Amino acid sequence: MIAMQLTCPDPLKRHAPGGSTAAVEPDSRNSGILPTDQPTTVITPFQALDPGIVNETIPAFFIGRNKDGFWLARDVKGKLGGIFLFESSALSFARRHSRPLGCATIFPSERFELDLENQGNPLIVHLGPLVRLAVQGRQRMAAFIGKIADAIGHRSKDR
């Protein structure tokens, strides 16, 4: 298996006609889950690897996270993909669908969404709304606690 970091300085210029695209968002290293109020900002294509790097007969899969923090596996040709709870499950999916040759794996630096039918864990699509609800509740609770702390701070200064 070959793992490569995918970088694209200007993804809009590298879009090949007829290639599929997926929405991506900046990666959040802290929580593993992005806030749902951030808009999608960049469109990047899923492109086959340069034949000088990896032979085009070798299957290649993008492995990364979506906006909810779930793991995705998607083949470069856009024929299959899935959503998973664990990175190891996404990698297993890629290996299973590229037997007996094995596959190249590409880890995009940005988050992306699956633009194919989910052939991975069918329950994950139902967890997405619950994760967003939990994140919103956590954000609201943090804002509420911050307001209480500010009120206590102001009150103690007045004495």
Side-chain angles (χ1 to χ4, degrees):
M1 177 183 314
I2 300 169
M4 300 175 57
Q5 183 74 16
L6 179 68
T7 58
C8 183
D10 191 354
L12 295 175
K13 289 183 180 178
R14 292 187 57 186
H15 178 46
S20 65
T21 61
V24 295
E25 297 186 32
D27 191 7
S28 173
R29 303 281 182 208
N30 297 335
S31 69
I33 299 173
L34 288 175
T36 57
D37 60 347
Q38 292 181 355
T40 301
T41 57
V42 178
I43 301 295
T44 188
F46 291 109
Q47 295 181 356
L49 298 175
D50 182 353
I53 298 173
V54 176
N55 188 316
E56 62 186 41
T57 60
I58 296 173
F61 282 81
F62 289 98
I63 307 291
R65 289 186 177 230
N66 68 4
K67 68 181 178 197
D68 294 323
F70 296 120
W71 287 94
L72 304 176
R74 183 198 183 278
D75 78 321
V76 171
K77 296 180 180 177
K79 295 185 179 184
L80 59 121
I83 304 173
F84 304 92
L85 189 57
F86 302 110
E87 179 183 21
S88 60
S89 301
L91 289 167
S92 293
F93 176 85
R95 284 189 215 111
R96 185 173 55 250
H97 288 285
S98 60
R99 284 187 185 142
L101 299 174
C103 65
T105 54
I106 304 139
F107 292 86
S109 58
E110 290 128 357
R111 295 184 183 240
F112 64 93
E113 298 299 317
L114 188 65
D115 58 351
L116 306 168
E117 179 182 345
N118 178 23
Q119 297 176 9
N121 187 331
L123 299 177
I124 295 295
V125 294
H126 302 293
L127 288 177
L130 295 174
V131 167
R132 286 189 291 277
L133 183 64
V135 168
Q136 288 173 352
R138 183 178 69 189
Q139 290 171 339
R140 287 182 184 148
M141 182 61 74
F144 179 69
I145 291 171
K147 288 179 183 179
I148 290 174
D150 287 344
I152 291 172
H154 289 301
R155 189 162 193 203
S156 65
K157 287 180 185 178
D158 292 339
R159 289 182 185 196

